[in-house]
Amino acid sequence: MAPSFDDGNSLFNFVVRDGNGVKGMVDSGLSTVPQAYMQPPIERIDKDRARKHGQPPIDLSKLGGPEHEEVAKQIVRASESLGFFQVVNHGVPVDLLESLKDTAHDFFSLPAEKKAVYRADVSPTPLVKYGTSFVPQKEKALEWKDYISMQYTNDAEALQNWPEEIRDVSLEYLRTSMSMVRNLLQVLLENLGVKPEDSMIDVLVDKKMVNMNYYPTCPNPDFTVGVGRHSDMGTLTILLQDGIGGLYVKIEEDSEFGKKGEWVEIPPVPSALVINVGDMIQVLSNGKYKSAEHRVRTTSTKSRVSIPVFTMPNATAKIAPLPEVVEKDGNALYKEFILADYMKNFFSNAHDGKKSLDFAKN
């Protein structure tokens, strides 16, 4: 029998500690949003006030052809202003994208005990973690999301350790998306005046992780968030949205995308993938490229899934603005740091916009 969700401790134990997640809470017949999930008014997402991002997706098949320069400019412009863009003809088969969404829904429909074996404190492998919210112990209001996170080291370890229900399709998604990631990094680095060797790009995408996020239906989406305001800490993130939508990005400075401080919705586009710039690219570019502050709204009509691939340098890597960029700019906006220290700071705090970047500022 489900506990009283009015009691914060019993809710926390049921949802977080016992691994039932938000889905377990919703499946128990929830009709109102529990207090633990009520966001303060300033964090709530007013979908009626947010504009839809109207830019068409960028066609990556044109890279390397006669229109290469124009496509490269589109990638750079979006990375300098919004930190988010959508791409088509990206090399990931469309039927694989559909299969990923179906597989994610199937996985989160499994009995709680099948998922809870991967909770951080009991998981049979450090490569796989099942959880809910972001850092539940530190959050004033919990996020309306469950997730499974799979770190990639090599194919053999992924095949051995990732949950068998989602392993093969997740691995194929990672394999087929990496060529696109490398091409995008090539464009971004060349625009900074850097001639990137393959080895340099290898360093930037050394660590990879596939997540499946699940946002169950919510009795009142106006009071909750699926994910709070944050930027991704890595290099580039590739995101598959389903058709429901709910992803919002904050505009950092006045541009063709809108006015500084406005939130725009990134509407789902069939067969497209969303790319967002991570904190490490903002640091390497000395602030030229902007990591995107974003958040996710919940929905009352249908459960939503999203499936990101996160790429980042190795935890032992030293990160600092590229010398070529600093020489041009005259000063470095960010200090050199070890990525592991940045990660420790990032994962030990609740989501709070782009505050994590303060750690790296000079």
Side-chain angles (χ1 to χ4, degrees):
M1 185 176 160
S4 161
F5 296 126
D6 296 330
D7 175 62
N9 286 334
S10 60
L11 178 145
F12 189 91
N13 289 339
F14 179 82
V15 173
V16 180
R17 195 195 64 190
D18 300 338
N20 290 289
V22 181
K23 185 172 193 303
M25 187 174 65
V26 170
D27 286 351
S28 71
L30 201 68
S31 58
T32 58
V33 173
Q35 187 60 40
Y37 287 89
M38 296 283 273
Q39 294 288 332
I42 195 167
E43 299 297 346
R44 296 173 190 174
I45 301 172
D46 185 350
K47 67 173 185 178
D48 296 325
R49 289 189 61 193
R51 292 187 305 103
K52 277 197 167 35
H53 178 258
Q55 297 288 323
I58 297 170
D59 184 351
L60 294 186
S61 68
K62 294 178 178 175
L63 283 177
E67 296 175 67
H68 177 93
E69 288 307 316
E70 178 49 40
V71 174
K73 271 185 200 158
Q74 292 171 15
I75 292 165
V76 165
R77 203 157 55 231
S79 301
E80 286 177 341
S81 50
L82 194 61
F84 252 90
F85 51 96
Q86 301 204 65
V87 295
V88 291
N89 295 323
H90 38 61
V92 183
V94 174
D95 58 348
L96 176 60
L97 300 181
E98 294 308 310
S99 181
L100 276 161
K101 291 183 272 194
D102 293 341
T103 302
H105 277 289
D106 290 346
F107 178 78
F108 287 100
S109 296
L110 291 171
E113 57 271 18
K114 291 272 282 184
K115 298 172 286 189
V117 294
Y118 293 106
R119 290 190 333 272
D121 50 343
V122 297
S123 180
T125 167
L127 300 181
V128 182
K129 179 187 171 190
Y130 169 75
T132 189
S133 199
F134 180 60
V135 188
Q137 297 80 358
K138 295 279 183 84
E139 290 161 348
K140 293 183 178 128
L142 297 171
E143 299 176 349
W144 198 269
K145 177 191 84 168
D146 299 330
Y147 66 90
I148 183 95
S149 177
M150 296 166 283
Q151 284 188 51
Y152 178 82
T153 46
N154 56 56
D155 284 6
E157 289 199 355
L159 290 167
Q160 184 181 344
N161 293 292
W162 289 9
E164 61 180 351
E165 298 89 350
I166 55 179
R167 176 187 62 204
D168 295 344
V169 73
S170 300
L171 201 47
E172 191 60 19
Y173 177 40
L174 179 59
R175 281 183 191 136
T176 53
S177 59
M178 285 316 294
S179 172
M180 165 187 54
V181 171
R182 299 181 77 90
N183 289 339
L184 291 170
L185 285 172
Q186 186 94 21
V187 167
L188 292 172
L189 290 167
E190 283 179 356
N191 178 66
L192 296 173
V194 177
K195 288 281 178 214
E197 303 280 332
D198 282 350
S199 57
M200 181 183 186
I201 292 179
D202 288 342
V203 168
L204 294 179
V205 298
D206 184 69
K207 269 186 70 126
K208 305 164 194 74
M209 192 161 67
V210 182
N211 277 25
M212 288 186 169
N213 299 325
Y214 184 77
Y215 307 93
T217 52
C218 177
N220 195 328
D222 291 340
F223 294 144
T224 58
V225 296
V227 181
R229 299 175 298 107
H230 73 290
S231 55
D232 292 349
M233 56 143 284
T235 302
L236 290 179
T237 301
I238 306 102
L239 177 75
L240 171 62
Q241 297 199 77
D242 63 15
I244 295 169
L247 174 63
Y248 293 80
V249 180
K250 190 177 186 179
I251 297 172
E252 279 221 5
E253 51 191 48
D254 291 355
S255 68
E256 67 205 89
F257 303 109
K259 286 193 164 42
K260 180 177 179 175
E262 281 184 339
W263 288 89
V264 292
E265 184 178 4
I266 308 291
V269 174
S271 78
L273 289 167
V274 177
I275 309 296
N276 73 291
V277 172
D279 291 349
M280 295 308 105
I281 291 289
Q282 179 160 333
V283 171
L284 288 165
S285 70
N286 206 31
K288 292 272 189 310
Y289 300 133
K290 308 291 189 287
S291 63
E293 183 176 342
H294 55 289
R295 57 186 181 176
V296 175
R297 195 175 191 274
T298 57
T299 172
S300 60
T301 51
K302 203 175 176 191
S303 294
R304 174 180 181 266
V305 294
S306 68
I307 303 143
V309 172
F310 298 105
T311 64
M312 63 196 81
N314 189 285
T316 58
K318 287 181 179 175
I319 308 295
L322 294 163
E324 296 91 335
V325 186
V326 174
E327 191 180 338
K328 217 178 295 178
D329 293 350
N331 67 312
L333 299 179
Y334 304 99
K335 64 188 179 188
E336 183 179 85
F337 56 88
I338 306 287
L339 181 61
D341 296 332
Y342 192 93
M343 289 172 70
K344 186 178 176 187
N345 177 65
F346 185 88
F347 288 112
S348 60
N349 292 293
H351 283 146
D352 189 8
K354 291 180 67 170
K355 209 169 177 186
S356 53
L357 266 168
D358 291 350
F359 174 87
K361 282 181 180 165
N362 258 332

Tab-separated table of all heavy atoms in Angstrom, residues 212-262:
chain	number	residue	atom	x	y	z
A	212	MET	N	17.859	7.719	-20.192
A	212	MET	CA	16.451	7.720	-20.585
A	212	MET	C	15.693	8.428	-19.465
A	212	MET	O	15.801	8.031	-18.292
A	212	MET	CB	15.927	6.304	-20.786
A	212	MET	CG	16.463	5.651	-22.038
A	212	MET	SD	15.705	4.034	-22.360
A	212	MET	CE	16.288	3.722	-24.031
A	213	ASN	N	15.007	9.510	-19.813
A	213	ASN	CA	14.230	10.289	-18.845
A	213	ASN	C	12.745	10.017	-19.046
A	213	ASN	O	12.274	9.948	-20.176
A	213	ASN	CB	14.489	11.788	-19.041
A	213	ASN	CG	15.940	12.156	-18.832
A	213	ASN	OD1	16.623	11.587	-17.992
A	213	ASN	ND2	16.431	13.116	-19.607
A	214	TYR	N	12.042	9.912	-17.941
A	214	TYR	CA	10.611	9.607	-18.001
A	214	TYR	C	9.849	10.615	-17.137
A	214	TYR	O	10.156	10.784	-15.952
A	214	TYR	CB	10.365	8.189	-17.479
A	214	TYR	CG	8.937	7.724	-17.581
A	214	TYR	CD1	8.404	7.309	-18.796
A	214	TYR	CD2	8.116	7.677	-16.446
A	214	TYR	CE1	7.088	6.863	-18.894
A	214	TYR	CE2	6.810	7.239	-16.538
A	214	TYR	CZ	6.299	6.837	-17.761
A	214	TYR	OH	5.004	6.406	-17.849
A	215	TYR	N	8.899	11.295	-17.766
A	215	TYR	CA	8.099	12.308	-17.077
A	215	TYR	C	6.650	11.825	-17.039
A	215	TYR	O	5.915	11.974	-18.017
A	215	TYR	CB	8.178	13.647	-17.822
A	215	TYR	CG	9.589	14.126	-18.075
A	215	TYR	CD1	10.241	13.820	-19.272
A	215	TYR	CD2	10.283	14.868	-17.127
A	215	TYR	CE1	11.550	14.252	-19.506
A	215	TYR	CE2	11.582	15.300	-17.355
A	215	TYR	CZ	12.212	14.985	-18.552
A	215	TYR	OH	13.499	15.401	-18.790
A	216	PRO	N	6.229	11.216	-15.921
A	216	PRO	CA	4.855	10.718	-15.861
A	216	PRO	C	3.844	11.859	-15.947
A	216	PRO	O	4.182	13.029	-15.724
A	216	PRO	CB	4.780	10.041	-14.485
A	216	PRO	CG	6.198	9.828	-14.065
A	216	PRO	CD	6.974	10.944	-14.692
A	217	THR	N	2.606	11.518	-16.276
A	217	THR	CA	1.556	12.538	-16.284
A	217	THR	C	1.465	13.169	-14.900
A	217	THR	O	1.694	12.518	-13.886
A	217	THR	CB	0.192	11.930	-16.648
A	217	THR	OG1	-0.045	10.812	-15.797
A	217	THR	CG2	0.146	11.489	-18.102
A	218	CYS	N	1.126	14.446	-14.880
A	218	CYS	CA	1.094	15.212	-13.630
A	218	CYS	C	-0.296	15.803	-13.448
A	218	CYS	O	-0.861	16.362	-14.399
A	218	CYS	CB	2.136	16.320	-13.707
A	218	CYS	SG	2.147	17.412	-12.276
A	219	PRO	N	-0.880	15.705	-12.247
A	219	PRO	CA	-2.230	16.242	-12.031
A	219	PRO	C	-2.347	17.734	-12.327
A	219	PRO	O	-3.370	18.199	-12.809
A	219	PRO	CB	-2.517	15.963	-10.558
A	219	PRO	CG	-1.522	14.959	-10.131
A	219	PRO	CD	-0.346	15.078	-11.041
A	220	ASN	N	-1.282	18.495	-12.018
A	220	ASN	CA	-1.301	19.927	-12.324
A	220	ASN	C	0.094	20.414	-12.718
A	220	ASN	O	0.886	20.814	-11.863
A	220	ASN	CB	-1.819	20.743	-11.130
A	220	ASN	CG	-2.182	22.163	-11.559
A	220	ASN	OD1	-1.571	22.715	-12.469
A	220	ASN	ND2	-3.171	22.751	-10.912
A	221	PRO	N	0.381	20.403	-14.028
A	221	PRO	CA	1.723	20.783	-14.492
A	221	PRO	C	2.127	22.209	-14.131
A	221	PRO	O	3.324	22.505	-14.078
A	221	PRO	CB	1.616	20.634	-16.016
A	221	PRO	CG	0.488	19.689	-16.238
A	221	PRO	CD	-0.484	19.945	-15.126
A	222	ASP	N	1.164	23.078	-13.875
A	222	ASP	CA	1.503	24.474	-13.581
A	222	ASP	C	2.319	24.626	-12.294
A	222	ASP	O	3.016	25.625	-12.114
A	222	ASP	CB	0.229	25.321	-13.464
A	222	ASP	CG	-0.469	25.484	-14.811
A	222	ASP	OD1	0.204	25.285	-15.845
A	222	ASP	OD2	-1.673	25.783	-14.827
A	223	PHE	N	2.230	23.642	-11.386
A	223	PHE	CA	2.907	23.743	-10.089
A	223	PHE	C	4.268	23.043	-10.053
A	223	PHE	O	4.991	23.142	-9.069
A	223	PHE	CB	2.030	23.147	-8.985
A	223	PHE	CG	0.754	23.913	-8.741
A	223	PHE	CD1	-0.420	23.242	-8.413
A	223	PHE	CD2	0.724	25.293	-8.854
A	223	PHE	CE1	-1.602	23.947	-8.189
A	223	PHE	CE2	-0.457	25.998	-8.636
A	223	PHE	CZ	-1.617	25.324	-8.301
A	224	THR	N	4.606	22.298	-11.110
A	224	THR	CA	5.770	21.414	-11.061
A	224	THR	C	6.753	21.724	-12.191
A	224	THR	O	6.439	22.472	-13.111
A	224	THR	CB	5.317	19.947	-11.214
A	224	THR	OG1	4.619	19.807	-12.455
A	224	THR	CG2	4.412	19.520	-10.069
A	225	VAL	N	7.933	21.116	-12.114
A	225	VAL	CA	8.833	21.077	-13.275
A	225	VAL	C	9.323	19.645	-13.456
A	225	VAL	O	9.494	18.905	-12.484
A	225	VAL	CB	10.064	22.024	-13.142
A	225	VAL	CG1	9.629	23.472	-13.085
A	225	VAL	CG2	10.946	21.654	-11.967
A	226	GLY	N	9.542	19.275	-14.725
A	226	GLY	CA	10.130	17.966	-15.000
A	226	GLY	C	11.620	18.002	-14.698
A	226	GLY	O	12.179	17.096	-14.089
A	227	VAL	N	12.276	19.074	-15.133
A	227	VAL	CA	13.674	19.347	-14.794
A	227	VAL	C	13.793	20.841	-14.538
A	227	VAL	O	13.271	21.652	-15.302
A	227	VAL	CB	14.639	18.960	-15.950
A	227	VAL	CG1	16.082	19.243	-15.541
A	227	VAL	CG2	14.491	17.494	-16.314
A	228	GLY	N	14.498	21.200	-13.479
A	228	GLY	CA	14.682	22.604	-13.145
A	228	GLY	C	15.747	23.268	-14.017
A	228	GLY	O	16.452	22.607	-14.785
A	229	ARG	N	15.870	24.593	-13.866
A	229	ARG	CA	16.802	25.389	-14.677
A	229	ARG	C	18.242	24.908	-14.477
A	229	ARG	O	18.727	24.853	-13.362
A	229	ARG	CB	16.743	26.860	-14.260
A	229	ARG	CG	15.405	27.548	-14.414
A	229	ARG	CD	15.441	28.972	-13.867
A	229	ARG	NE	15.730	29.035	-12.437
A	229	ARG	CZ	16.883	29.436	-11.916
A	229	ARG	NH1	17.874	29.823	-12.683
A	229	ARG	NH2	17.045	29.471	-10.609
A	230	HIS	N	18.907	24.605	-15.590
A	230	HIS	CA	20.304	24.174	-15.510
A	230	HIS	C	20.930	24.217	-16.897
A	230	HIS	O	20.233	24.305	-17.906
A	230	HIS	CB	20.407	22.744	-14.955
A	230	HIS	CG	19.965	21.690	-15.933
A	230	HIS	ND1	18.638	21.526	-16.303
A	230	HIS	CD2	20.669	20.768	-16.651
A	230	HIS	CE1	18.552	20.550	-17.186
A	230	HIS	NE2	19.763	20.067	-17.421
A	231	SER	N	22.249	24.156	-16.940
A	231	SER	CA	22.958	23.894	-18.190
A	231	SER	C	23.642	22.547	-18.029
A	231	SER	O	23.890	22.088	-16.912
A	231	SER	CB	23.979	24.996	-18.481
A	231	SER	OG	24.871	25.144	-17.393
A	232	ASP	N	23.937	21.880	-19.148
A	232	ASP	CA	24.635	20.588	-19.084
A	232	ASP	C	26.125	20.844	-18.889
A	232	ASP	O	26.689	21.754	-19.489
A	232	ASP	CB	24.394	19.783	-20.358
A	232	ASP	CG	22.941	19.326	-20.482
A	232	ASP	OD1	22.192	19.451	-19.487
A	232	ASP	OD2	22.552	18.855	-21.560
A	233	MET	N	26.765	20.012	-18.072
A	233	MET	CA	28.143	20.312	-17.696
A	233	MET	C	29.185	19.847	-18.712
A	233	MET	O	30.340	20.226	-18.624
A	233	MET	CB	28.464	19.709	-16.333
A	233	MET	CG	28.224	18.236	-16.266
A	233	MET	SD	29.442	17.389	-15.276
A	233	MET	CE	30.808	17.373	-16.398
A	234	GLY	N	28.775	19.064	-19.712
A	234	GLY	CA	29.748	18.440	-20.592
A	234	GLY	C	30.111	19.239	-21.832
A	234	GLY	O	30.147	20.477	-21.825
A	235	THR	N	30.383	18.520	-22.911
A	235	THR	CA	30.821	19.109	-24.177
A	235	THR	C	29.605	19.431	-25.039
A	235	THR	O	29.181	20.573	-25.125
A	235	THR	CB	31.796	18.150	-24.887
A	235	THR	OG1	32.912	17.892	-24.020
A	235	THR	CG2	32.310	18.736	-26.188
A	236	LEU	N	29.037	18.431	-25.683
A	236	LEU	CA	27.765	18.579	-26.405
A	236	LEU	C	26.799	17.519	-25.927
A	236	LEU	O	27.203	16.401	-25.590
A	236	LEU	CB	27.975	18.404	-27.918
A	236	LEU	CG	28.740	19.486	-28.693
A	236	LEU	CD1	28.854	19.084	-30.165
A	236	LEU	CD2	28.059	20.848	-28.579
A	237	THR	N	25.517	17.848	-25.916
A	237	THR	CA	24.455	16.895	-25.603
A	237	THR	C	23.605	16.711	-26.851
A	237	THR	O	23.259	17.677	-27.518
A	237	THR	CB	23.560	17.399	-24.450
A	237	THR	OG1	24.371	17.606	-23.291
A	237	THR	CG2	22.463	16.407	-24.123
A	238	ILE	N	23.298	15.457	-27.153
A	238	ILE	CA	22.359	15.127	-28.234
A	238	ILE	C	21.081	14.674	-27.547
A	238	ILE	O	21.123	13.809	-26.672
A	238	ILE	CB	22.885	13.970	-29.103
A	238	ILE	CG1	24.280	14.272	-29.623
A	238	ILE	CG2	21.937	13.683	-30.265
A	238	ILE	CD1	25.348	13.553	-28.877
A	239	LEU	N	19.955	15.245	-27.930
A	239	LEU	CA	18.699	14.924	-27.242
A	239	LEU	C	17.625	14.504	-28.231
A	239	LEU	O	17.346	15.205	-29.205
A	239	LEU	CB	18.203	16.148	-26.462
A	239	LEU	CG	16.854	15.954	-25.756
A	239	LEU	CD1	17.018	15.086	-24.508
A	239	LEU	CD2	16.228	17.288	-25.391
A	240	LEU	N	17.027	13.360	-27.948
A	240	LEU	CA	15.836	12.924	-28.678
A	240	LEU	C	14.616	13.279	-27.845
A	240	LEU	O	14.483	12.812	-26.708
A	240	LEU	CB	15.897	11.414	-28.917
A	240	LEU	CG	14.624	10.764	-29.474
A	240	LEU	CD1	14.257	11.327	-30.839
A	240	LEU	CD2	14.784	9.244	-29.545
A	241	GLN	N	13.751	14.129	-28.388
A	241	GLN	CA	12.462	14.435	-27.743
A	241	GLN	C	11.391	13.530	-28.342
A	241	GLN	O	11.504	13.125	-29.491
A	241	GLN	CB	12.009	15.858	-28.054
A	241	GLN	CG	12.841	17.000	-27.590
A	241	GLN	CD	12.021	18.293	-27.566
A	241	GLN	OE1	11.224	18.523	-26.670
A	241	GLN	NE2	12.210	19.137	-28.560
A	242	ASP	N	10.319	13.285	-27.595
A	242	ASP	CA	9.158	12.672	-28.236
A	242	ASP	C	8.262	13.783	-28.772
A	242	ASP	O	8.644	14.958	-28.780
A	242	ASP	CB	8.418	11.716	-27.288
A	242	ASP	CG	7.835	12.417	-26.062
A	242	ASP	OD1	7.738	13.665	-26.068
A	242	ASP	OD2	7.456	11.717	-25.105
A	243	GLY	N	7.074	13.441	-29.226
A	243	GLY	CA	6.224	14.430	-29.890
A	243	GLY	C	5.452	15.337	-28.952
A	243	GLY	O	4.713	16.217	-29.405
A	244	ILE	N	5.607	15.153	-27.638
A	244	ILE	CA	4.780	15.911	-26.682
A	244	ILE	C	5.342	17.301	-26.415
A	244	ILE	O	4.618	18.277	-26.267
A	244	ILE	CB	4.637	15.108	-25.368
A	244	ILE	CG1	3.851	13.822	-25.653
A	244	ILE	CG2	3.946	15.935	-24.291
A	244	ILE	CD1	3.875	12.832	-24.521
A	245	GLY	N	6.664	17.414	-26.390
A	245	GLY	CA	7.280	18.729	-26.157
A	245	GLY	C	7.339	19.081	-24.683
A	245	GLY	O	6.977	18.297	-23.810
A	246	GLY	N	7.833	20.290	-24.403
A	246	GLY	CA	7.967	20.739	-23.013
A	246	GLY	C	9.356	21.208	-22.661
A	246	GLY	O	9.644	21.517	-21.505
A	247	LEU	N	10.262	21.284	-23.669
A	247	LEU	CA	11.635	21.738	-23.439
A	247	LEU	C	11.722	23.243	-23.676
A	247	LEU	O	11.335	23.733	-24.734
A	247	LEU	CB	12.572	20.996	-24.396
A	247	LEU	CG	14.041	21.431	-24.429
A	247	LEU	CD1	14.717	21.204	-23.084
A	247	LEU	CD2	14.788	20.677	-25.536
A	248	TYR	N	12.257	23.973	-22.679
A	248	TYR	CA	12.353	25.437	-22.752
A	248	TYR	C	13.797	25.871	-22.555
A	248	TYR	O	14.499	25.354	-21.688
A	248	TYR	CB	11.481	26.085	-21.668
A	248	TYR	CG	10.005	25.875	-21.901
A	248	TYR	CD1	9.390	24.678	-21.546
A	248	TYR	CD2	9.218	26.869	-22.487
A	248	TYR	CE1	8.039	24.470	-21.776
A	248	TYR	CE2	7.859	26.669	-22.713
A	248	TYR	CZ	7.277	25.467	-22.358
A	248	TYR	OH	5.945	25.262	-22.602
A	249	VAL	N	14.229	26.857	-23.351
A	249	VAL	CA	15.603	27.371	-23.287
A	249	VAL	C	15.561	28.870	-23.021
A	249	VAL	O	14.719	29.591	-23.566
A	249	VAL	CB	16.338	27.108	-24.617
A	249	VAL	CG1	17.765	27.632	-24.544
A	249	VAL	CG2	16.348	25.618	-24.921
A	250	LYS	N	16.489	29.339	-22.181
A	250	LYS	CA	16.564	30.756	-21.848
A	250	LYS	C	17.520	31.474	-22.797
A	250	LYS	O	18.636	31.000	-23.053
A	250	LYS	CB	17.066	30.921	-20.402
A	250	LYS	CG	16.958	32.342	-19.873
A	250	LYS	CD	17.403	32.358	-18.416
A	250	LYS	CE	17.184	33.703	-17.767
A	250	LYS	NZ	17.592	33.687	-16.356
A	251	ILE	N	17.099	32.610	-23.299
A	251	ILE	CA	17.930	33.400	-24.210
A	251	ILE	C	18.916	34.227	-23.389
A	251	ILE	O	18.518	34.984	-22.503
A	251	ILE	CB	17.047	34.297	-25.097
A	251	ILE	CG1	16.147	33.420	-25.975
A	251	ILE	CG2	17.889	35.231	-25.950
A	251	ILE	CD1	15.099	34.172	-26.751
A	252	GLU	N	20.218	34.058	-23.678
A	252	GLU	CA	21.269	34.718	-22.882
A	252	GLU	C	21.498	36.162	-23.277
A	252	GLU	O	21.898	36.973	-22.467
A	252	GLU	CB	22.580	33.939	-23.019
A	252	GLU	CG	22.631	32.747	-22.118
A	252	GLU	CD	23.982	32.563	-21.467
A	252	GLU	OE1	24.880	33.406	-21.625
A	252	GLU	OE2	24.133	31.559	-20.777
A	253	GLU	N	21.314	36.458	-24.560
A	253	GLU	CA	21.507	37.845	-24.995
A	253	GLU	C	20.610	38.125	-26.193
A	253	GLU	O	20.235	37.205	-26.923
A	253	GLU	CB	22.977	38.106	-25.324
A	253	GLU	CG	23.602	37.110	-26.254
A	253	GLU	CD	25.122	37.268	-26.327
A	253	GLU	OE1	25.761	37.357	-25.277
A	253	GLU	OE2	25.629	37.300	-27.452
A	254	ASP	N	20.264	39.393	-26.385
A	254	ASP	CA	19.392	39.762	-27.497
A	254	ASP	C	19.946	39.201	-28.810
A	254	ASP	O	21.142	39.345	-29.101
A	254	ASP	CB	19.293	41.294	-27.622
A	254	ASP	CG	18.518	41.906	-26.458
A	254	ASP	OD1	17.990	41.129	-25.639
A	254	ASP	OD2	18.443	43.147	-26.372
A	255	SER	N	19.080	38.577	-29.582
A	255	SER	CA	19.511	37.982	-30.849
A	255	SER	C	18.284	37.761	-31.709
A	255	SER	O	17.160	38.113	-31.336
A	255	SER	CB	20.207	36.633	-30.600
A	255	SER	OG	19.267	35.684	-30.131
A	256	GLU	N	18.513	37.135	-32.876
A	256	GLU	CA	17.388	36.814	-33.755
A	256	GLU	C	16.422	35.838	-33.090
A	256	GLU	O	15.288	35.669	-33.542
A	256	GLU	CB	17.923	36.196	-35.055
A	256	GLU	CG	18.576	34.838	-34.849
A	256	GLU	CD	19.605	34.502	-35.913
A	256	GLU	OE1	20.783	34.854	-35.742
A	256	GLU	OE2	19.222	33.874	-36.910
A	257	PHE	N	16.869	35.170	-32.012
A	257	PHE	CA	16.028	34.179	-31.348
A	257	PHE	C	15.086	34.815	-30.314
A	257	PHE	O	14.162	34.173	-29.830
A	257	PHE	CB	16.899	33.115	-30.671
A	257	PHE	CG	17.832	32.430	-31.632
A	257	PHE	CD1	19.202	32.660	-31.579
A	257	PHE	CD2	17.341	31.589	-32.621
A	257	PHE	CE1	20.068	32.046	-32.471
A	257	PHE	CE2	18.196	30.969	-33.521
A	257	PHE	CZ	19.568	31.199	-33.447
A	258	GLY	N	15.345	36.083	-29.954
A	258	GLY	CA	14.491	36.756	-28.986
A	258	GLY	C	15.296	37.663	-28.065
A	258	GLY	O	16.487	37.897	-28.285
A	259	LYS	N	14.623	38.144	-27.016
A	259	LYS	CA	15.262	39.089	-26.086
A	259	LYS	C	15.906	38.356	-24.910
A	259	LYS	O	15.430	37.311	-24.470
A	259	LYS	CB	14.203	40.072	-25.559
A	259	LYS	CG	13.769	41.120	-26.580
A	259	LYS	CD	12.986	42.225	-25.884
A	259	LYS	CE	12.848	43.475	-26.718
A	259	LYS	NZ	12.547	43.230	-28.122
A	260	LYS	N	16.957	38.951	-24.397
A	260	LYS	CA	17.671	38.390	-23.246
A	260	LYS	C	16.700	38.108	-22.104
A	260	LYS	O	15.872	38.951	-21.751
A	260	LYS	CB	18.748	39.377	-22.794
A	260	LYS	CG	19.559	38.896	-21.611
A	260	LYS	CD	20.653	39.876	-21.248
A	260	LYS	CE	21.427	39.378	-20.035
A	260	LYS	NZ	22.569	40.212	-19.714
A	261	GLY	N	16.820	36.915	-21.508
A	261	GLY	CA	15.987	36.561	-20.366
A	261	GLY	C	14.685	35.879	-20.721
A	261	GLY	O	14.029	35.296	-19.852
A	262	GLU	N	14.294	35.917	-22.000
A	262	GLU	CA	13.064	35.233	-22.417
A	262	GLU	C	13.293	33.721	-22.469
A	262	GLU	O	14.404	33.256	-22.703
A	262	GLU	CB	12.653	35.682	-23.838
A	262	GLU	CG	11.956	37.017	-23.896
A	262	GLU	CD	11.491	37.341	-25.317
A	262	GLU	OE1	12.012	36.781	-26.306
A	262	GLU	OE2	10.601	38.182	-25.425
